[in-house]
Amino acid sequence: MSGRIPCWSCREAVDGPVCVGCGAIQPLRPDTSLFDALGLPRQYTLDRADVMRAWRMASRKVHPDRFAGRPAVQRRMSLQWTATVNEAKRVLTDPLLRAGYLATGRTQPREEGGPALDPDFLEEVFELQMEAQADPEGVRARAASLGDRLRGELVDVFLAWEAGEGGLEAVETLLAKLRYVDKAAHRGA
């Protein structure tokens, strides 16, 4: 969100969901990110406890019960804020969803047209899937090891990005690879 705007009700400058002057809930701005909704910095390295604490604070501010006696427009704005705050909690508490959101602005992976994966990786996953019937424990162990390596690469990409030393171009590919590995691991289960 960019800067303070005047409250629609009392015209006092507001930079959050509720005006401190008159208590009116403000419209959800189109440029409000999930990070903005919880008042968190736009970064990958977030502690789950901090996200939950921010979610509880934001939820209290915008909860529909606080606006039950207000006009219908404020009740609707409260519902919009509540939905956004809850979506922010869902996405930002999950490191993989948070990574995808930071890299693409989407809360779900693309259903079609995702990144092209290298043939060697696809061959490795195919082998895991084929071995799942014969050696489920071995497949789970290999998939866990591969998943850990990919998660490590993902963290490295974000640490570099947060230090201003790189971009997020590799994130979508790493997330797609993790989805393949997780499916292979479940076949071994």
Side-chain angles (χ1 to χ4, degrees), residues 1 15 17 31-58 61 81 84-85 87-94 98 101-102 161-162:
M1 263 181 346
D15 63 358
D31 64 343
T32 302
S33 75
L34 298 181
F35 293 94
D36 295 335
L38 297 186
L40 292 170
R42 183 179 166 81
Q43 63 188 40
Y44 178 74
T45 52
L46 292 175
D47 183 46
R48 181 174 170 63
D50 292 339
V51 175
M52 293 303 292
R53 192 172 14 266
W55 170 76
R56 281 190 294 279
M57 287 176 45
K61 286 181 185 176
W81 270 104
T84 300
V85 163
E87 178 71 351
K89 178 187 96 166
R90 182 185 75 80
V91 171
L92 300 183
T93 56
D94 182 310
R98 182 170 60 244
Y101 179 70
L102 278 166
W161 176 72
E162 288 174 4

Side-chain angles (χ1 to χ4, degrees), residues 94-183:
D94 182 310
L96 299 181
L97 292 177
R98 182 170 60 244
Y101 179 70
L102 278 166
T104 67
R106 294 186 310 272
T107 59
Q108 298 293 328
R110 286 190 266 185
E111 290 197 24
E112 291 182 18
L117 302 179
D118 61 273
D120 291 338
F121 171 79
L122 294 173
E123 181 68 27
E124 185 175 7
V125 170
F126 180 72
E127 287 174 12
L128 284 174
Q129 292 171 343
M130 297 306 292
E131 293 173 21
Q133 293 291 343
D135 183 15
E137 287 300 316
V139 167
R140 271 197 299 278
R142 283 181 49 207
S145 176
L146 181 55
D148 289 345
R149 183 179 58 80
L150 292 168
R151 283 178 181 80
E153 289 179 32
L154 188 65
V155 168
D156 291 345
V157 167
F158 276 105
L159 289 175
W161 176 72
E162 288 174 4
E165 298 170 0
L168 300 179
E169 297 79 21
V171 170
E172 227 177 339
T173 300
L174 287 168
L175 291 172
K177 286 181 175 182
L178 277 165
R179 283 190 293 276
Y180 271 96
V181 169
D182 288 343
K183 285 180 187 174

Side-chain angles (χ1 to χ4, degrees), residues 3-79:
R4 299 165 62 92
I5 59 169
C7 171
W8 64 268
S9 179
C10 72
R11 310 305 294 160
E12 185 168 326
V14 177
D15 63 358
V18 178
C19 176
V20 294
C22 69
I25 194 161
Q26 302 302 300
L28 185 64
R29 293 171 52 179
D31 64 343
T32 302
S33 75
L34 298 181
F35 293 94
D36 295 335
L38 297 186
L40 292 170
R42 183 179 166 81
Q43 63 188 40
Y44 178 74
T45 52
L46 292 175
D47 183 46
R48 181 174 170 63
D50 292 339
V51 175
M52 293 303 292
R53 192 172 14 266
W55 170 76
R56 281 190 294 279
M57 287 176 45
S59 291
R60 278 188 220 114
K61 286 181 185 176
V62 301
H63 196 277
D65 289 350
R66 291 197 62 200
F67 300 94
R70 302 279 178 105
V73 67
Q74 287 195 55
R75 292 193 310 265
R76 279 193 302 276
M77 284 190 268
S78 171
L79 291 172

